[in-house]
């Protein structure tokens, strides 16, 4: 005898019922990441790799630990990601002032990869922006930046 199922509520209805901010942020992150991944997929870059390269391009060389702190990633995740970026030739890793430190810098190849990825990233950004008003997009982005900074130091 087949079990009958009642119709499921829409994803929007379910999303509105999630009381946990962490759960809602996680869900929103996955949904928005899909959009960026679709666009950046044409470049061979993953969203996390793009973020790391952009950070290195704008702030300059930094230790692997500093990079992980600024990306809010665990030490092992940062090490694994840096190793992959290095294998692809997008970053260089040298010994820092302290022999235990690893200084990470974007390479010319990494800069070229970011330049090639720019129109794809812009398309992803525009797709997400169309889901919200421009004011709301900018406001949410600013609020999330503030929340992330506070949560990292909490």
């Amino acid at each position: 005898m087949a079990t009958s199922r009642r119709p499921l509520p829409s994803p929007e209805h379910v999303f509105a019922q999630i009381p946990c901010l962490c759960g809602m942020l996680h869900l929103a992150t996955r949904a928005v990441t899909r959009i960026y991944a679709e666009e950046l997929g044409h470049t061979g870059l993953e969203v996390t790799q793009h973020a790391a390269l952009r950070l290195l391009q704008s702030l300059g060389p930094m230790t692997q630990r500093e990079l992980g702190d600024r990306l809010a990633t665990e030490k092992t995740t940062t090490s694994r990601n840096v190793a992959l970026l290095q294998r692809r030739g997008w970053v260089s890793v040298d010994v820092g002032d302290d022999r235990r430190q690893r200084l990470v810098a974007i390479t010319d190849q990494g800069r070229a990869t970011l330049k090639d990825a720019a129109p794809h990233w812009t398309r992803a950004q525009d797709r997400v922006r169309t889901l919200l008003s421009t004011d709301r997009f900018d406001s949410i982005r600013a609020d999330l930046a503030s929340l992330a900074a506070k949560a990292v130091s909490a």
Side-chain angles (χ1 to χ4, degrees):
M1 180 166 161
T3 305
S4 64
R5 289 182 24 174
R6 61 187 169 112
L8 291 174
S10 70
E12 294 81 6
H13 179 77
V14 173
F15 299 163
Q17 303 303 312
I18 297 174
C20 173
L21 180 62
C22 182
M24 181 52 63
L25 286 171
H26 192 66
L27 191 149
T29 298
R30 285 194 313 261
V32 171
T33 297
R34 283 185 192 143
I35 293 170
Y36 283 85
E38 284 173 14
E39 296 296 344
L40 287 174
H42 305 292
T43 68
L45 267 175
E46 292 182 17
V47 176
T48 53
Q49 295 166 343
H50 184 268
L53 291 176
R54 293 268 311 243
L55 188 65
L56 289 165
Q57 183 177 40
S58 42
L59 298 181
M62 63 186 75
T63 66
Q64 195 165 298
R65 181 180 179 155
E66 291 167 335
L67 179 62
D69 288 347
R70 275 136 193 91
L71 293 171
T73 57
E74 300 295 326
K75 184 178 177 181
T76 54
T77 301
T78 305
S79 295
R80 197 170 41 248
N81 289 342
V82 166
L84 179 59
L85 292 171
Q86 186 180 22
R87 277 195 306 276
R88 293 196 172 162
W90 297 337
V91 301
S92 62
V93 180
D94 295 308
V95 176
D97 295 335
D98 177 337
R99 292 180 125 315
R100 294 170 296 176
Q101 290 181 334
R102 298 290 172 248
L103 195 62
V104 184
I106 190 168
T107 63
D108 289 341
Q109 187 177 347
R111 283 185 194 83
T113 299
L114 276 181
K115 185 177 179 182
D116 292 344
H120 301 280
W121 178 84
T122 299
R123 235 184 343 269
Q125 192 86 336
D126 290 345
R127 283 178 61 189
V128 173
R129 190 181 299 273
T130 63
L131 301 174
L132 305 163
S133 67
T134 298
D135 289 344
R136 198 121 185 258
F137 178 91
D138 293 339
S139 175
I140 289 171
R141 192 186 165 290
D143 287 347
L144 289 174
S146 175
L147 176 60
K150 290 174 183 173
V152 164
S153 62

